[in-house]
Amino acid sequence: MPILTRLTLGLLAGSLLACRKMPDPVAQEVDQDPVRRHIGKDGTHFEASLGDARALPPQFPPHLQLPNASIISSGQIRDREGGLASLILQTSQPLEAIAAYYRRTLWGRGWDILSDIEQANGIRTLVFESPPHPKKPLQQAVVQVGSPRRGPDQVEYRDILILLSTVSPSATAEDLSAAKLTPPTSP
């Protein structure tokens, strides 16, 4: 009988603990910044975000985000020379439709197509360069469409990696050496 009583009391105590009010998980996430930030010792800034485009710089061209694609992650690295922004998307659109969207959209905005290579394993890489502009930095965009894979719903998905590099025209060798001597600041 004492064993049965202890077991009953243990189960009762366990159920009381399980039924207590747990903290609201949404309220905890609201207090935290969804963008992870880090400043390197040399002053280089790193930012990353999962599931959204919040880590992208404000000048990231919106037309690089393929319509009807889910955002997996975003990020950027920047220093005095310029920066590199990345965006990973997921879509069930076919390879030709994705490539056609980027060729049509970027070329229509004056970007030059530097390369369009399709590999045997279904990966396609497109490279574009922005038109020269006296007041805007030069940009290059690499759009790499991954090989297809089946999701749990048996739909064929592709990941798209977009890398956008920007070179600041005002960066000089003196700026770079000053960046190495300047101590980093915290965000």
Side-chain angles (χ1 to χ4, degrees):
M1 193 70 145
I3 294 175
L4 186 58
T5 305
R6 286 186 198 155
L7 185 59
T8 306
L9 287 174
L11 289 173
L12 180 62
S15 65
L16 287 175
L17 283 173
C19 292
R20 71 183 175 155
K21 182 169 173 31
M22 298 300 285
D24 184 14
V26 174
Q28 288 178 346
E29 290 177 16
V30 170
D31 295 338
Q32 297 175 350
D33 185 1
V35 178
R36 302 286 180 221
R37 293 179 170 85
H38 174 73
I39 299 177
K41 291 180 180 179
D42 63 352
T44 302
H45 291 249
F46 301 89
E47 297 181 12
S49 182
L50 289 176
D52 56 46
R54 290 183 228 190
L56 293 178
Q59 70 274 15
F60 190 87
H63 50 271
L64 286 179
Q65 295 185 31
L66 180 71
N68 303 317
S70 301
I71 298 174
I72 304 300
S73 67
S74 64
Q76 70 170 312
I77 300 170
R78 65 186 192 291
D79 59 18
R80 290 180 186 243
E81 280 187 48
L84 178 71
S86 69
L87 180 64
I88 299 176
L89 305 171
Q90 185 179 72
T91 185
S92 60
Q93 296 177 44
L95 176 63
E96 281 307 315
I98 298 166
Y101 168 80
Y102 284 107
R103 280 194 309 265
R104 181 181 63 249
T105 302
L106 292 173
W107 186 76
R109 286 177 167 77
W111 290 60
D112 290 327
I113 300 173
L114 302 180
S115 175
D116 184 350
I117 300 171
E118 186 171 357
Q119 298 172 343
N121 57 2
I123 295 174
R124 189 161 196 169
T125 305
L126 300 111
V127 181
F128 300 91
E129 187 171 83
S130 67
H133 192 279
K135 295 184 181 182
K136 291 183 181 178
L138 182 66
Q139 294 182 315
Q140 283 192 345
V142 176
V143 178
Q144 186 171 55
V145 183
S147 54
R149 62 179 175 11
R150 292 230 180 259
D153 53 0
Q154 296 304 312
V155 174
E156 196 172 82
Y157 289 97
R158 292 179 182 273
D159 289 340
I160 304 169
L161 170 64
I162 301 165
L163 298 173
L164 178 69
S165 65
T166 305
V167 178
S168 175
S170 60
T172 64
E174 293 82 28
D175 291 338
L176 296 176
S177 61
K180 292 178 183 173
L181 300 174
T182 306
T185 59
S186 56

